Amino acid sequence: MTDQHLTVLVVGATGSVGRHVVATAVAAGHRTRALARTSYKAQGLARGAEVVIGDLTDTASLHDAVAGIDAVVFTHGDNGNAEAVNYGAVMNVLDALQGRRVRIALMTTIGVTALRDSSEWKRRGERLVRASGNEYTIVRPGWFDHNDDDQLRIAPRQGDTHQTGGPADGVIPRRQIARVLVESLTSPEADHRTFELVAERGPEQEDLGPVFAALPVDEDGALDGALDPANLPVDQEPQRVRDDLDRVSRTGAR
């Protein structure tokens, strides 16, 4: 972990995790920009955050939000349209950046590799990030705030092997999700890593560097995370998804 201070855009800033991310980023000394659809929705965000208005489904509305940023944290969730939000928001932010490199922390969900419509679009959003050429960390949290009081040891795992659809898959406090997302932005050990984020019995670690470093990195050029099942073949994806991956890859290669 470094003392580097960044200009960070928080996507999904008004959500239950996003609000924690905004507060955590401000407390860490980052210049924090909170994306909201309206100023009303942004009420109650941490003091010190700059609110920017934009629509995740409209690339043109995001240019002011991404101007001059060093990093972006995605904590958005779909509003009933998984393709437009879970996937489209990532694509639109990358389009708005126009190939400029930033550090990305993307929150999806545990069980993202299960073949369900909503999770498939989150997984496709992950693939866009990996294809973009940016430094990144992809975090798949378990069930929010279902942990016991003594269940605070951050214990990431890989392979997305727990897919019951309930808290048995793993649990994690919202504030710890925010901590991991924000600290990953300045941790070299977190770069190019994808993991499920859960808490186990024991105290919370002071230093997450060794926790990140213990995880295998995603394979160079791979579209899926380390140890992920190969159950969503790219060559069988919709043509528009393959076109987006090609475009993001070409832009990132500039």
Side-chain angles (χ1 to χ4, degrees):
M1 189 69 182
T2 73
D3 292 327
Q4 182 182 7
H5 292 164
L6 308 174
T7 298
V8 178
L9 173 67
V10 182
V11 175
T14 62
S16 68
V17 174
R19 288 178 177 272
H20 282 278
V21 170
V22 171
T24 302
V26 169
H30 297 305
R31 295 174 293 278
T32 306
R33 192 174 293 170
L35 181 66
R37 292 194 67 174
T38 66
S39 56
Y40 176 79
K41 287 183 175 293
Q43 292 181 15
L45 289 174
R47 289 179 178 271
E50 173 195 1
V51 175
V52 289
I53 305 303
D55 182 345
L56 288 174
T57 65
D58 178 9
T59 302
S61 76
L62 300 175
H63 289 296
D64 288 344
V66 303
I69 63 170
D70 304 304
V72 56
V73 180
F74 290 94
T75 65
H76 61 292
D78 75 83
N79 55 0
N81 190 335
E83 179 178 356
V85 180
N86 291 342
Y87 174 82
V90 178
M91 189 73 238
N92 290 339
V93 170
L94 291 173
D95 276 344
L97 285 165
Q98 299 179 325
R100 188 165 60 79
R101 296 296 179 92
V102 297
R103 186 68 165 81
I104 295 175
L106 172 67
M107 183 186 84
T108 59
T109 184
I110 204 165
V112 74
T113 64
L115 298 179
R116 295 187 289 263
D117 183 65
S118 178
S119 61
E120 284 184 12
W121 286 111
K122 285 182 180 289
R123 188 174 181 184
R124 290 171 178 133
E126 291 186 357
R127 287 175 166 178
L128 291 174
V129 169
R130 296 190 191 96
S132 71
N134 290 287
E135 296 181 350
Y136 68 84
T137 305
I138 295 174
V139 178
R140 301 163 169 174
W143 283 64
F144 303 165
D145 291 329
H146 278 66
N147 58 298
D148 295 330
D149 290 344
D150 64 346
Q151 197 171 6
L152 295 173
R153 185 172 68 85
I154 294 171
R157 58 185 183 226
Q158 293 174 302
D160 202 25
T161 55
H162 295 59
Q163 298 184 356
T164 68
D169 292 336
V171 297
I172 189 77
R174 284 178 171 87
R175 67 162 188 83
Q176 286 188 323
I177 300 170
R179 179 191 174 192
V180 169
L181 289 167
V182 172
E183 291 194 16
S184 76
L185 299 176
T186 53
S187 173
E189 296 89 352
D191 183 28
H192 279 70
R193 283 173 167 84
T194 299
F195 52 87
E196 294 80 61
L197 180 61
V198 300
E200 295 184 351
R201 304 285 176 188
E204 184 171 353
Q205 303 93 320
E206 292 187 10
D207 183 3
L208 293 184
V211 178
F212 294 139
L215 298 167
V217 298
D218 296 344
E219 290 186 21
D220 189 33
L223 291 176
D224 288 319
L227 307 182
D228 279 355
N231 61 348
L232 192 67
V234 175
D235 61 3
Q236 296 178 26
E237 285 282 77
Q239 186 62 51
R240 66 185 183 282
V241 171
R242 285 180 280 164
D243 290 345
D244 285 344
L245 284 169
D246 288 342
R247 179 158 56 87
V248 165
S249 299
R250 289 196 304 271
T251 302
R254 289 178 183 172

